[in-house]
Amino acid sequence: MPPTLGKASPPSEDKRWKIVAATMRRHGFSRNALIETLHTVQQSFGFLDRPSLEYVAQSLRVPLSKAFGVATFYHFFSLKPPGDHTCVICLGTACYIKGAPQLLAEVEQSLGIKQGETTADGHVSVLTARCVGSCSLAPVALFDSEVAPRLNAVEMRGRLARWMPS
Amino acid sequence: MNRVRLATVWLDGCSGCHMSLLDMDERLLDLADRVELVYSPLVDHKEYPEDVDLVLVEGSVSSEEDLHKIRKIRRQSKILISLGDCAVTGNVPAMRNPFKTAEVLRRVYVENVSVESPTPNQVVPALLARVRPVHEVVPVDVFVPGCPPSADTIFWTLTELLEGRRPDLTGKTRFGA
Amino acid sequence: MTPEQLEQIASEETAARARNPRRLSVCMAAGCISSNSDAVKKALERAVAGGPLKDACPVTGVGCMGLCSRGPLVSTEPAGVLYQNVTPEDAGEIVGAVSGPAVERLQCSRELPFFKRQVGVVLENSGQINPERIEDYLAAKGYAALVQALTEMRPAEVIEQVSRSGLRGRGGAGYPTGLKWSTVAKARAETRYVICNADEGDPGAFMDRSVLESDPQRVLEGMIIAGYAVGASRGYIYVRAEYPLAIARLNTAIRQAKHLGLLGSQIGNTEFAFDIELRLGAGAFVCGEETALIASIEGGRGTPRPRPPYPAQAGLFGAPTLINNVETFANIPPIIRNGGDWYAAMGTQRSKGTKVFALTGKINCTGLIEVPMGMSLREIIFEVGGGVPEGRKFKAVQTGGPSGGCIPEQFLDMPVDYDSLAQAGSIMGSGGMIVMDDSSCMVDVAKYFMEFCMSESCGKCIPCRAGTAQMYDLLAKICEGRAALDDLAMLEDLCDMVKNTSLCGLGQSAPNPVLSTLRYFRDEYLAHIQEKKCPAGVCACGMKQEAGS
Amino acid sequence: MTPAVSDVKTLQIDGIDVSAQADQTILDAAREKGLSIPTLCHLDGLGDVGACRLCLVEIKGTSKLLPACVTRVEEGMEVTTQSERLLKYRRMTLELLFAERNHVCSVCVANGHCDLQVLGQAHGLTHVQFPYRYPKLPMDASHDRFVVDHNRCVLCTRCVRVCDEVEGAHTWDVMSRGIGSMVITDLHQPWGESDTCTSCGKCVQVCPTGALFEKGKARLVAKSRDFLPYLAMMREGK
């Protein structure tokens, strides 16, 4: 074992880094634990940024470019901080043929952003999902992880309005 | 008498392919016996004629005018030859394609000039959103890549066509040659 | 824990049930939870606690009851009444009716073909047991198969039963499971691994999710038996991070199994040791491909590598590795319990047993079903599924997700098995069935799947990376009414090339949705190209004109 | 050292009898016999990935086309390396590459020394039937000596492998996926700021196109790759 094993220092004093370190320790600082660790970082901080990737890569002795390659390969990982609220439109097949594209157009239009973007005030992010597995309730969207079944444009606007500061 | 009616056209290109054509030197005389040059930037013709047998097209399709021209050329010609990389691939003119037309115009006519020079709107024909190789716009019969194709390649291609054969350019030239 | 101790837990559980048969079960699978079943459960608990049945009628969360479109679903025992579309306000009425006549207003007939035509093998416990209690599973004959395998069978005998069952991989390709197991068992190596592929990525498919949420112990048991059969002592479950409920229930299940000594060393008081770890996927469809999945578990980019060598020879960390999907493992306990011949008696000549399907799209009864192989598409869609709603006309059923195809009306009487579906230009796939009516445009559907494949392509090989992008552009051009017949020829050329030259299954099957729609709905393509119009009225033909085209 | 008899396999490649050692690939065996199979991602001395699909061959008895670079020879194999179908697929593969990014040969530093250009010419590619995609891609000239121009990259990953397997620096890798994939240095930082790059220049030498090149040497020299098999051989102590 090289002497630097697990000795890379976290990017800040933030307590959440202890959770990240715990994940790495649980896996014996194995390189194979890269994805598991990135999951923990994203769960703790909401996204992955350069300093966190650098910290994880050094701790696990994974080349920097590999860590970046992995982080950008998987769409579950985000390199941008999410908005305060997240609206995920499901674009699974069942949702698609039951009107998901129209829902997406609606939300993009009413917020003035495209999928994958966050409003300028950092309030709402719009994302799309491949399939959330709630096909029998199609079309669905997730509002901060809560599934909204059999959604239509009117209800969609209502849901978004609830997030708007009064 | 029954000479083949040949035309050459210059769309969006640097005229290098026409220079290469002229590089055929004395062989031009051989050609002159067999073809009649009915339209070309090298001679003074105003209108693209009907019933052209062979047309060599240099340059990509970049403007509304190019588009209009190439459609007419296709209608009025039997065999259309894309001559050189601009016609075949879009080449250098197409390097603007990753950018928006307005960005390109601003760069050329506003940012990169020292003297007052307004964006042209009358003299220069409107640019297409995308520069295209000829075959993306009209069907092409023979492709002669190269930047420019050598005089030998052009001469050989023309000779084959005049002999009634479809030239096989495999190995004879390449993109960027 | 010894087999006897396990049996005792099971019999205590059964006895407790017998003493108090009254019980309310609320579906707590993802579908019903989305329809607010959580609140229904709380309301029922309150209603029980505040009434005469206090402490005499447990309210249990159970797994998927199948008919997701009518959720939240609640069932009562001992009467066996099923209630649909239950709201928290209905709680009092339902509790009041536990020992009396049913609440007719909410009753969902168990006599519906949706229920009558199903055969529960994989889903035998689904909607019956509490997925968060291993005792429930034990009482339902859980882990009997494992004990039987460990104490009465040699590994080769276990594989023999799996081979006799005729079970084929339920992940899509349909490779004979017994053959796969014996290949891994025979590979010369010190270490071997078992992987459960729970990276269910086909859009419109939620079979594995449902099994994991409804009966997670069954999957663990299947994996442990597999470990014993092939000589592995470590297993991984690669599960989608997008399935938080399934992950939570798996974690609970693993913890409980470890607690009872069903995972770890000296399982069932024998010398056999086996452990299972969860690995989370991170949103890459290609990781359903075996070699990509392995790369991902190893912590890298999920890019496939050429096979051979197959994972059965050199897989995870270079060791022989058995990879089966969730449903395949879920079939194992009943096969061992009842014998391979019992299983082989169901289904067709070359496709044995049952298959779980997720029935969605333009169909009345959407949800999860399990039927014997060989049932016709017509029976599945029009009897079990209750047909197409709003009086619209059936157009096609999409099976196999982005690797599958659209099957038109003329094949409705075809038996559903691996070979027939392949002949019709689709595949069994993992079990998603999306019904489309005349309001769907088949070119648009093909474009939808091509977009999927394009953005899920890993980018390693050229045909898939650049070919899917070209095919998508061509399909978009057709949909927008900008295409010529030459474009169609180019599309067909690309389909052929990408299918035959791509490195892995994703690319090799990416053209399937295009090929099958071209085969059965060519007139729709031609209408877009020649008449610049979309017969179903979905595509905005002619809206977008590009200069110079 | 002569291999034991059982380690030798005899097979037919394009109707010609070939004998090869058991651990050899079809590509090795063919090239030893002077038979050419086109390759792009393969480079002697680097691990193979089977990604470019140009070396796909037909093998009698198998419906699937297999990459010659990673498929081992087998006794009695009958391999076809040149058929109508294979040539058509190879042409299409090359066309897909030319259309994928902005390969403007006439103004490329690698004009005349480019593997892609040579392959195109050898396959009679006089034009590209697929629409060019014209992605907007960056160029990074921040390194003192080298430049990466993503417009010319074919994602063969030869740079990634040489940096990892031979130099041991692993400065390069691939980011994102699918059509959006791109080679990167470290955390997608400017190459000149890379802490891990040793400036050895191997990536530049192995790059098949003008994607990686040395400053001030445009059009002057062909790339040198002879060092690779030697290095690999020395490493393995053969």
Side-chain angles (χ1 to χ4, degrees):
Chain A
M1 272 191 208
T4 56
L5 186 59
K7 289 281 163 56
S9 36
S12 71
E13 298 287 305
D14 197 312
K15 290 239 166 50
R16 287 173 287 185
W17 291 115
K18 289 204 162 48
I19 308 174
V20 176
T23 298
M24 295 194 283
R25 204 173 311 116
R26 198 171 65 244
H27 288 93
F29 290 92
S30 155
R31 280 174 204 188
N32 305 325
L34 176 60
I35 294 173
E36 295 295 302
T37 312
L38 295 182
H39 270 300
T40 310
V41 175
Q42 175 145 319
Q43 227 164 40
S44 310
F45 294 88
F47 71 112
L48 313 170
D49 59 5
R50 247 164 241 252
S52 62
L53 284 173
E54 201 163 345
Y55 167 58
V56 172
Q58 283 172 355
S59 304
L60 300 178
R61 293 166 302 138
V62 170
L64 294 173
S65 56
K66 183 177 172 178
F68 198 85
V70 167
T72 51
F73 182 87
Y74 296 99
H75 285 188
F76 195 79
F77 297 132
S78 168
L79 272 68
K80 288 181 292 191
D84 304 333
H85 296 283
T86 316
C87 172
V88 183
I89 312 281
C90 179
L91 288 182
T93 321
C95 291
Y96 185 83
I97 64 167
K98 285 191 167 179
Q102 288 82 332
L103 289 178
L104 179 62
E106 175 67 35
V107 71
E108 285 182 340
Q109 207 198 341
S110 60
L111 294 175
I113 53 171
K114 293 271 171 213
Q115 55 165 305
E117 294 177 350
T118 303
T119 50
D121 57 2
H123 197 55
V124 182
S125 296
V126 174
L127 301 170
T128 55
R130 279 291 169 214
C131 181
V132 299
S134 299
C135 314
S136 46
L137 308 170
V140 304
L142 277 74
F143 293 87
D144 288 341
S145 324
E146 186 200 326
V147 178
R150 301 185 189 93
L151 204 56
N152 58 39
V154 178
E155 202 182 325
M156 172 79 120
R157 276 195 297 271
R159 293 252 185 180
L160 290 175
R162 267 185 252 165
W163 283 344
M164 291 306 142
S166 46
Chain B
M1 298 183 302
N2 255 348
R3 285 190 302 173
V4 168
R5 291 164 60 79
L6 174 74
T8 78
V9 185
W10 180 17
L11 302 179
D12 191 9
C14 70
S15 88
C17 295
H18 273 87
M19 295 299 123
S20 201
L21 185 75
L22 294 178
D23 274 347
M24 285 193 280
D25 300 335
E26 75 283 1
R27 284 172 293 186
L28 284 168
L29 298 176
D30 299 342
L31 270 185
D33 291 339
R34 309 176 65 181
V35 304
E36 181 190 354
L37 193 61
V38 294
Y39 182 87
S40 172
L42 305 168
V43 291
D44 190 21
H45 295 289
K46 296 287 181 255
E47 274 296 310
Y48 192 81
E50 305 277 342
D51 299 328
V52 172
D53 293 312
L54 290 178
V55 56
L56 294 165
V57 180
E58 171 186 349
S60 56
V61 182
S62 304
S63 65
E64 295 287 358
E65 189 190 11
D66 294 339
L67 189 62
H68 177 78
K69 269 192 197 163
I70 195 68
R71 285 182 174 151
K72 181 173 184 180
I73 288 162
R74 180 67 273 189
R75 275 198 306 275
Q76 295 173 198
S77 321
K78 288 200 188 74
I79 295 178
L80 190 157
I81 302 140
S82 265
L83 181 68
D85 279 355
C86 294
V88 174
T89 75
N91 202 24
V92 173
M95 284 169 71
R96 75 163 160 91
N97 283 352
F99 307 91
K100 290 197 173 77
T101 316
E103 285 174 42
V104 174
L105 288 174
R106 193 171 56 243
R107 184 87 178 143
V108 173
Y109 290 104
V110 181
E111 291 167 12
N112 275 6
V113 286
S114 44
V115 288
E116 191 75 10
S117 164
T119 306
N121 49 28
Q122 307 259 307
V123 189
V124 178
L127 296 183
L128 297 175
R130 263 195 177 183
V131 175
R132 291 157 166 268
V134 174
H135 67 273
E136 281 190 22
V137 182
V138 296
V140 169
D141 303 299
V142 179
F143 297 88
V144 187
C147 188
S150 69
D152 289 350
T153 305
I154 300 174
F155 181 72
W156 181 82
T157 304
L158 284 174
T159 316
E160 288 290 289
L161 285 166
L162 290 173
E163 295 295 329
R165 290 189 290 265
R166 187 52 58 101
D168 174 11
L169 285 131
T170 305
K172 288 220 155 35
T173 180
R174 60 163 198 240
F175 305 130
Chain C
M1 212 168 256
T2 63
E4 293 72 29
Q5 287 169 310
L6 289 172
E7 212 164 288
Q8 200 186 337
I9 297 177
S11 49
E12 277 170 18
E13 186 66 27
T14 317
R17 285 268 195 112
R19 279 196 301 276
N20 178 16
R22 274 188 295 260
R23 184 170 148 115
L24 282 164
S25 303
V26 186
C27 176
M28 295 294 280
C32 281
I33 288 183
S34 306
S35 315
N36 217 12
S37 69
D38 222 348
V40 169
K41 179 162 176 269
K42 288 205 182 87
L44 286 169
E45 282 164 354
R46 275 196 304 274
V48 169
L53 288 176
K54 187 169 191 289
D55 297 328
C57 177
V59 179
T60 332
V62 295
C64 183
M65 295 183 179
L67 193 46
C68 308
S69 54
R70 302 208 188 159
L73 297 164
V74 174
S75 75
T76 73
E77 275 169 65
V81 179
L82 182 66
Y83 294 115
Q84 62 189 9
N85 301 323
V86 179
T87 62
E89 292 73 43
D90 302 326
E93 223 177 320
I94 290 175
V95 172
V98 167
S99 316
V103 186
E104 272 180 40
R105 175 175 70 84
L106 297 170
Q107 201 173 354
C108 174
S109 170
R110 297 246 192 209
E111 298 303 309
L112 283 179
F114 184 87
F115 297 109
K116 291 303 258 189
R117 301 293 308 269
Q118 291 201 46
V119 176
V121 175
V122 167
L123 303 181
E124 59 181 343
N125 294 336
S126 198
Q128 309 280 328
I129 65 165
N130 180 345
E132 293 177 357
R133 284 189 79 228
I134 193 169
E135 294 83 359
D136 274 32
Y137 183 64
L138 287 168
K141 296 188 209 147
Y143 286 107
L146 176 65
V147 169
Q148 185 184 340
L150 290 180
T151 56
E152 297 166 23
M153 299 165 85
R154 284 179 290 114
E157 289 170 330
V158 174
I159 295 176
E160 167 65 15
Q161 289 305 317
V162 174
S163 298
R164 288 180 78 98
S165 75
L167 177 64
R168 293 169 68 175
R170 296 292 192 245
Y175 191 81
T177 306
L179 191 55
K180 209 175 199 178
W181 286 30
S182 69
T183 312
V184 178
K186 281 180 194 147
R188 268 178 285 179
E190 290 279 309
T191 313
R192 296 184 188 81
Y193 294 102
V194 171
I195 296 177
C196 173
N197 183 351
D199 190 44
E200 182 173 57
D202 288 8
F206 52 95
M207 300 74 51
D208 293 350
R209 166 188 188 149
S210 203
V211 171
L212 294 173
E213 287 175 357
S214 307
D215 199 4
Q217 295 289 355
R218 158 182 303 267
V219 181
L220 302 189
E221 185 180 3
M223 285 180 74
I224 304 168
I225 293 171
Y228 174 70
V230 304
S233 57
R234 187 158 204 84
Y236 290 90
I237 302 178
Y238 187 82
V239 58
R240 295 182 79 190
E242 291 91 332
Y243 285 177
L245 187 60
I247 294 167
R249 288 190 179 160
L250 273 172
N251 274 321
T252 306
I254 291 174
R255 202 176 56 242
Q256 293 175 347
K258 274 190 181 150
H259 186 68
L260 295 189
L262 292 162
L263 283 172
S265 55
Q266 297 190 312
I267 294 176
N269 221 19
T270 68
E271 286 307 299
F272 178 61
F274 194 76
D275 250 317
I276 293 178
E277 239 185 85
L278 280 194
R279 282 296 163 101
L280 303 193
F285 175 72
V286 69
C287 288
E289 201 274 348
E290 295 187 344
T291 59
L293 189 156
I294 287 171
S296 186
I297 292 186
E298 290 173 351
R301 293 164 58 83
T303 54
R305 59 156 176 78
R307 302 181 299 176
Y310 290 91
Q313 306 156 306
L316 187 63
F317 308 123
T321 304
L322 172 72
I323 308 184
N324 280 138
N325 91 325
V326 170
E327 192 183 333
T328 313
F329 282 125
N331 268 303
I332 298 300
I335 287 175
I336 299 302
R337 245 183 5 239
N338 305 320
D341 293 336
W342 163 81
Y343 193 81
M346 292 180 284
T348 66
Q349 184 66 29
R350 289 176 36 80
S351 302
K352 304 292 188 193
T354 60
K355 178 77 192 85
V356 181
F357 292 104
L359 214 48
T360 61
K362 305 291 178 64
I363 189 162
N364 277 311
C365 301
T366 58
L368 204 70
I369 60 164
E370 182 172 16
V371 294
M373 290 274 191
M375 188 181 267
S376 75
L377 278 171
R378 191 183 299 282
E379 289 170 286
I380 293 178
I381 293 163
F382 288 92
E383 290 183 35
V384 180
V388 179
E390 294 164 27
R392 296 202 78 115
K393 194 171 153 22
F394 170 87
K395 189 185 226 173
V397 55
Q398 211 281 341
T399 71
S403 311
C406 294
I407 303 171
E409 194 170 10
Q410 74 232 49
F411 289 100
L412 276 180
D413 292 309
M414 185 182 80
V416 173
D417 58 40
Y418 289 97
D419 309 291
S420 314
L421 284 170
Q423 261 170 30
S426 185
I427 59 164
M428 174 76 77
S430 54
M433 271 197 186
I434 301 136
V435 177
M436 300 180 193
D437 63 19
D438 51 7
S439 67
S440 288
C441 165
M442 302 317 278
V443 189
D444 179 62
V445 167
K447 184 184 81 166
Y448 165 82
F449 282 113
M450 195 53 73
E451 193 278 332
F452 184 95
C453 292
M454 173 176 74
S455 38
E456 295 298 330
S457 164
C458 82
K460 180 173 178 175
C461 78
I462 300 163
C464 178
R465 181 181 76 227
T468 53
Q470 289 285 355
M471 289 192 284
Y472 174 77
D473 287 349
L474 285 167
L475 287 163
K477 204 171 166 188
I478 296 172
C479 285
E480 287 160 16
R482 297 187 287 115
L485 281 174
D486 284 352
D487 293 309
L488 193 60
M490 188 186 284
L491 179 64
E492 292 187 282
D493 251 12
L494 274 169
C495 283
D496 170 62
M497 183 262 186
V498 173
K499 192 182 172 82
N500 286 300
T501 61
S502 290
L503 194 159
C504 83
L506 192 157
Q508 288 160 12
S509 61
N512 285 356
V514 181
L515 289 170
S516 77
T517 47
L518 268 172
R519 183 163 152 194
Y520 302 123
F521 302 97
R522 200 179 184 89
D523 52 332
E524 289 194 30
Y525 281 82
L526 293 177
H528 285 79
I529 294 169
Q530 292 171 324
E531 298 158 43
K532 310 285 176 212
K533 76 170 203 225
C534 173
V538 174
C539 306
C541 288
M543 297 283 281
K544 200 171 153 190
Q545 282 294 336
E546 201 184 331
S549 61
Chain D
M1 229 181 10
T2 39
V5 179
S6 61
D7 286 347
V8 175
K9 309 278 182 194
T10 55
L11 61 154
Q12 277 202 339
I13 302 179
D14 294 333
I16 297 166
D17 288 322
V18 175
S19 64
Q21 289 180 40
D23 62 347
Q24 273 192 306
T25 63
I26 294 172
L27 182 67
D28 281 342
R31 287 193 173 167
E32 264 181 29
K33 195 78 182 175
L35 298 164
S36 88
I37 299 175
T39 54
L40 183 60
C41 64
H42 168 86
L43 192 62
D44 282 342
L46 292 182
D48 278 307
V49 286
C52 75
R53 316 309 279 170
L54 285 171
C55 72
L56 288 180
V57 294
E58 293 168 1
I59 293 171
K60 199 173 173 188
T62 318
S63 58
K64 278 200 169 151
L65 305 175
L66 291 169
C69 66
V70 292
T71 308
R72 308 272 156 201
V73 295
E74 272 169 39
E75 185 62 39
M77 230 180 201
E78 289 177 45
V79 183
T80 306
T81 72
Q82 318 283 330
S83 69
E84 275 294 316
R85 178 167 169 243
L86 288 173
L87 291 176
K88 180 184 171 195
Y89 290 158
R90 284 174 193 156
R91 262 198 306 273
M92 288 176 81
T93 304
L94 292 167
E95 287 180 86
L96 284 174
L97 276 182
F98 273 109
E100 184 182 20
R101 295 194 173 187
N102 306 307
H103 296 279
V104 191
C105 300
S106 60
V107 293
C108 179
V109 293
N111 192 3
H113 307 295
C114 170
D115 289 8
L116 180 62
Q117 193 181 31
V118 168
L119 283 164
Q121 187 176 19
H123 286 83
L125 217 65
T126 57
H127 73 293
V128 173
Q129 58 171 323
F130 305 122
Y132 290 93
R133 297 180 51 78
Y134 301 117
K136 198 170 178 176
L137 292 163
M139 199 163 164
D140 177 3
S142 60
H143 193 281
D144 285 345
R145 290 168 51 206
F146 312 122
V147 182
V148 53
D149 180 356
H150 295 282
N151 291 288
R152 312 282 194 257
C153 175
V154 291
L155 293 166
C156 66
T157 69
R158 277 160 38 162
C159 54
V160 177
R161 284 174 283 150
V162 80
C163 188
D164 174 57
E165 297 169 15
V166 182
E167 177 62 9
H170 204 121
T171 300
W172 292 102
D173 210 312
V174 181
M175 71 171 261
S176 295
R177 69 188 190 203
I179 195 79
S181 306
M182 198 166 103
V183 291
I184 50 162
T185 44
D186 289 356
L187 292 174
H188 191 21
Q189 292 149 303
W191 191 358
E193 291 169 20
S194 166
D195 288 332
T196 61
C197 176
T198 61
S199 300
C200 73
K202 289 189 191 71
C203 52
V204 174
Q205 299 304 332
V206 301
C207 176
T209 69
L212 293 171
F213 59 95
E214 203 163 341
K215 285 182 180 172
K217 289 225 179 137
R219 289 189 188 246
L220 290 179
V221 279
K223 292 176 175 180
S224 146
R225 288 156 194 161
D226 302 339
F227 65 94
L228 264 185
Y230 178 75
L231 273 181
M233 199 168 69
M234 284 299 152
R235 286 270 159 84
E236 289 160 21
K238 277 183 189 167

